[in-house]
Amino acid sequence: MNLLTYSLGSAVAGAARPFLGKADVSISGTFVGTVVLQRSFDDSATWVNVSSHTVPTEFLHENNTSGVKYRFNCTAFTSGSIVCRMAQD
């Protein structure tokens, strides 16, 4: 299983991991803040926003380009705990 998971408790970006194909994305917790799913086509030199979330959510994301890395970035944080997960079999 390819898995990217961590908890965010401040305005920071998490570690990056490559994903190819379909992946389940989950953002959970009780929080006041903004979490952005980002991807990089140039080995983490620059990041492009995929989606932005201010409430817990789950969705399926598909990437058909090899070598693309993903991360979660908490761009605004007021309070709470944010659990981010991206997984594929």
Side-chain angles (χ1 to χ4, degrees):
M1 174 179 274
N2 192 7
L3 180 65
L4 175 64
T5 183
Y6 45 85
S7 295
L8 299 173
S10 61
V12 298
R17 185 171 183 94
F19 282 88
L20 178 63
K22 294 180 181 179
D24 292 313
V25 178
S26 173
I27 298 169
S28 60
T30 303
F31 61 92
V32 177
T34 303
V35 179
V36 180
L37 177 63
Q38 297 178 316
R39 64 182 167 191
S40 175
F41 296 96
D42 56 8
D43 200 30
S44 303
T46 58
W47 293 94
V48 177
N49 293 348
V50 175
S51 59
S52 179
H53 308 276
T54 57
V55 296
T57 188
E58 291 188 2
F59 59 95
L60 183 66
H61 178 74
E62 186 170 3
N63 169 50
N64 294 311
T65 305
S66 63
V68 177
K69 289 186 177 179
Y70 286 84
R71 73 176 185 183
F72 293 97
N73 187 1
C74 182
T75 58
F77 182 81
T78 301
S79 65
S81 179
I82 308 167
V83 180
C84 301
R85 183 176 192 268
M86 188 168 183
Q88 66 185 167
D89 290 330

